[in-house]
Amino acid sequence: MGMERPGLDLDHPIFSESVRRIRQWLGPTDLDPVQQEVLERLVHSSGDLAIAADLRFSAEACALGLEALAGGAVILTDTAMAAAAVSPMARRTFANPVRSILEWAPAVAPPGGTRTAEGIAAALAACPGAVVLIGSAPTALERLLDQPGGASLPALVIGMPVGFVGVAESKRRLAASDLPQIRLEGSKGGAGLVGATCNALLRRAWLNQAAA
């Protein structure tokens, strides 16, 4: 017997009505259907229609993310807040483990460094093929990009650190890398937005599998 599934209605009626309005306000886009769902959830979470101009996807990023999440990939986050944003949807869909890279970080940041940057390499080694959410720590994104290639590389990086110090630089490095990625250009980002992106992918992967 297959996995017993709860009802397919993962959306609150208020969310559904919000998305309907967002689609009207956005108008036509050149995004594919999954990318469009990511954008709509980001607009819903941020209240910012202009976020569409800053959203970028590498080739096959969404497809690779859907495959990894449907396969039960670990979701690694750079903050407890991002983990909290994703955990409810993960529980309702594929029960993906959601873990913060701070679990692998030292208790105290080294001089000139951050705990998240120190924890990312160990987290990737412990969770190969993870979906990685970086919403607050450009230093963690930089350290991820410093890692050598191999089996420990993530299946997808959702790179949306927020702020003004080191953020744009880390996003430019991510853009120039070969890693599958979804990112926001400029200073925009945060735990809520990486969580929204991952939730959009979890929802779509679940609905796709349920309809198969």
Side-chain angles (χ1 to χ4, degrees):
M1 292 179 62
M3 181 168 41
E4 196 171 313
R5 302 182 184 282
L8 297 184
D9 188 3
L10 298 177
D11 303 329
H12 190 281
I14 293 176
F15 174 79
S16 299
E17 174 60 18
S18 295
V19 168
R20 187 189 68 80
R21 297 186 187 192
I22 287 166
R23 285 175 184 162
Q24 289 181 331
W25 293 328
L26 286 173
T29 72
D30 60 359
L31 301 177
D32 69 33
V34 181
Q35 293 172 342
Q36 180 73 21
E37 289 180 12
V38 170
L39 171 60
E40 289 164 359
R41 204 163 192 112
L42 285 170
V43 172
H44 178 263
S45 295
S46 66
D48 182 6
L49 290 165
I51 208 167
D54 299 312
L55 183 59
R56 302 287 186 274
F57 301 87
S58 68
E60 304 299 320
C62 289
L64 292 169
L66 295 179
E67 181 181 8
L69 292 168
V74 175
I75 300 169
L76 289 175
T77 71
D78 62 338
T79 61
M81 187 179 298
V86 171
S87 291
M89 184 68 81
R91 284 194 300 269
R92 294 164 63 195
T93 54
F94 300 100
N96 304 73
V98 181
R99 303 180 67 179
S100 168
I101 61 178
L102 293 173
E103 294 179 36
W104 290 270
V108 178
T114 66
R115 294 181 64 222
T116 48
E118 294 302 307
I120 186 68
L124 290 171
C127 307
V131 174
V132 179
L133 282 56
I134 305 291
S136 301
T139 54
L141 183 53
E142 291 277 5
R143 188 67 63 87
L144 184 157
L145 293 166
D146 289 338
Q147 299 304 302
S152 66
L153 287 180
L156 175 67
V157 178
I158 301 174
M160 302 179 181
V162 62
F164 301 95
V165 178
V167 167
E169 295 85 347
S170 69
K171 291 176 179 179
R172 282 196 293 270
R173 280 195 66 195
L174 177 62
S177 78
D178 293 329
L179 290 174
Q181 60 192 262
I182 303 173
R183 67 183 191 277
L184 284 176
E185 303 284 49
S187 60
K188 294 178 181 178
L193 296 187
V194 291
T197 303
C198 190
N199 284 339
L201 295 177
L202 281 166
R203 174 186 178 277
R204 175 43 50 198
W206 182 255
L207 295 177
N208 286 351
Q209 185 163 309

